[in-house]
Amino acid sequence: MDRLGFATSGELAVFWDHVTPAEAKTWWAAALADGRTIEVDIEGVDGKLRRSFAWPDLMDQKVPAPVPRLRILSPFDPALRDRKRAERLFGFHYRIEIFVPAPKRQYGYYVFPVMEGDRMIGRIDMKRDDCVLVVRAFWPEKGVRMGKGRVAALQKELARAAQFGGCGDLSFAGEWLQKPSRSL
């Protein structure tokens, strides 16, 4: 709960992967009964409320504003670890396609999610080739406009990623900026 902030019993079971959802539900229901947790309704991106557990002081905590910087996330980032939760909270359907046969891939072998502030804005296919970070394609999410400022922020983040990966150069495929991805 400290890591997630709020969660359903199923999300807690997935996070720890040590207990079944039924065991988690039993434990959290007992914690609720003796006042160690509270129930809160969390609104997903679709507007639906989902009953979740939280620590009693959740509503008293001051939540910092999201960092507005554009970031390329690892496919294993905590925000995406539970794919169903990420889809509910961010409206972002994400799957790693490394085990999908090449002709059936929608995006690419190892596509990275891209987040700006508290919004998932797209996904990027990039690969290290010797000492060059090659950007094959970027797909903005539906409704995301890639104006000059956002493209510049993405290029700045790519330069940071290249440096982090030990690449001395960055290159872009001819038509790397794709049309917005379709909703799934």
Side-chain angles (χ1 to χ4, degrees), residues 76 95-102 105 108-111:
F76 308 107
R95 301 293 178 263
I96 298 173
E97 297 180 323
I98 58 177
F99 300 113
V100 176
R105 291 182 191 140
Y109 179 80
Y110 200 82
V111 173

Side-chain angles (χ1 to χ4, degrees), residues 5-8 11 32 38-44 47-54 58-59 88-89:
F6 57 85
T8 66
E11 291 168 348
L32 179 66
I38 61 170
E39 286 185 310
V40 293
D41 289 325
I42 303 298
E43 184 176 353
K48 293 181 183 175
L49 296 178
R50 184 175 204 105
R51 183 60 49 107
S52 297
F53 296 104
L58 175 72
M59 304 312 281
R88 235 182 357 267
L89 294 177

Side-chain angles (χ1 to χ4, degrees), residues 89-160:
L89 294 177
F90 299 110
F92 189 71
H93 178 83
Y94 178 72
R95 301 293 178 263
I96 298 173
E97 297 180 323
I98 58 177
F99 300 113
V100 176
K104 293 185 177 184
R105 291 182 191 140
Q106 183 177 359
Y107 296 106
Y109 179 80
Y110 200 82
V111 173
F112 295 86
V114 179
M115 183 177 219
E116 183 179 49
D118 62 355
R119 181 178 181 197
M120 302 304 290
I121 66 159
R123 53 198 87 219
I124 193 161
D125 184 9
M126 57 188 192
K127 178 182 178 182
R128 183 181 173 166
D129 188 5
D130 289 324
C131 291
V132 177
L133 182 62
V134 179
V135 179
R136 296 177 179 181
F138 173 80
W139 295 269
E141 286 298 286
K142 185 178 181 181
V144 172
R145 192 171 140 329
M146 293 302 293
K148 289 179 183 179
R150 190 171 273 150
V151 170
L154 177 59
Q155 290 173 332
K156 182 178 179 181
E157 178 67 0
L158 285 164
R160 193 188 71 76

Side-chain angles (χ1 to χ4, degrees), residues 72-81 83 94 110-113:
I72 297 170
L73 302 180
S74 161
F76 308 107
D77 188 275
L80 297 166
R81 181 175 173 184
R83 305 287 194 238
Y94 178 72
Y110 200 82
V111 173
F112 295 86

